[in-house]
Amino acid sequence: MIFRIALSATLLSSQFLSVAQSSEPPSEPPSQPVTTSDEAIEMSELVPMIDVELGDRGTMNGLLTDRRGEPVGDMAVALRTAQGIVVPTTTNASGQFAYRGLVGGLYQLETEKSSTMCRVWAPGTAPPESPTSVLLVRSDDVAAGQWSPPGQTNNVVRGFKRVMANPIKASLIVGAAIAIPVAIHNANKDDNGS
């Protein structure tokens, strides 16, 4: 099931987001242009969601490791907002990255091999167990636990899921699946009995 995620009225703009190439807080805006995608963030149930508490000046720090826990340096990390704004950065040699100027809301952190949703909280407002930094794990040998049909078939399945998510439409389909065979059975019974 796919959810559309919308942030509150607070919109982020590229002037408030800056990127760090090291563990030090960033001091300049990103050298790469910030791009906007046509679609809002789409999140499936399989994408992990974590709570993160922002640091000073809206800073979110993170660490990218491989599945053995070794830091992954010089790897692209992208932060995507609900409005589709994408802010790229690169991890330093120690696998660290940082974003500054964020406000509370939902963000998606993406690498070449992983994607993680972050529910970001202003300082002092996060749930008690929330970390103050993000740990991203990059795995080359990810084995998905769910098979998805290819191409056009996948679009049909996605459409069917949308229809069945509406309780009225689902009730009509289930009712028809029950009523039609009963009506056919009763019609055959009447034909045989007369």
Side-chain angles (χ1 to χ4, degrees), residues 9 21 23 32 53 60 64 91 94 103 129 137 142-143 150 153 167 175:
Q21 300 281 335
S23 62
Q32 298 173 322
E53 184 172 1
M60 181 170 62
L64 178 62
T91 60
S94 301
V103 296
E129 307 282 324
V137 179
V142 174
T153 306

Side-chain angles (χ1 to χ4, degrees), residues 27 54 78 133 181:
S27 58
L54 291 173
S133 63

Side-chain angles (χ1 to χ4, degrees), residues 24-43:
E24 296 294 321
S27 58
E28 298 180 15
S31 58
Q32 298 173 322
V34 175
T35 59
T36 303
S37 72
D38 295 335
E39 299 178 1
I41 295 175
E42 290 185 357
M43 175 187 77

Side-chain angles (χ1 to χ4, degrees), residues 1 161-175:
M1 183 175 200
K161 286 181 179 179
R162 285 189 189 125
V163 169
M164 294 305 285
N166 182 325
I168 294 172
K169 291 178 183 177
S171 298
L172 289 173
I173 291 171
V174 170

Side-chain angles (χ1 to χ4, degrees), residues 102-169:
L102 302 177
V103 296
L106 294 170
Y107 299 91
Q108 185 171 2
L109 285 172
E110 301 171 335
T111 66
E112 179 184 328
K113 302 282 184 179
S114 66
S115 178
T116 301
M117 291 298 299
C118 296
R119 193 172 20 231
V120 175
W121 300 82
T125 64
E129 307 282 324
S130 299
T132 56
S133 63
V134 179
L135 174 63
L136 296 178
V137 179
R138 177 178 176 242
S139 179
D140 293 331
D141 56 339
V142 174
Q146 180 176 355
W147 179 80
S148 180
Q152 189 64 29
T153 306
N154 200 18
N155 291 337
V156 172
V157 170
R158 188 175 298 125
F160 183 71
K161 286 181 179 179
R162 285 189 189 125
V163 169
M164 294 305 285
N166 182 325
I168 294 172
K169 291 178 183 177

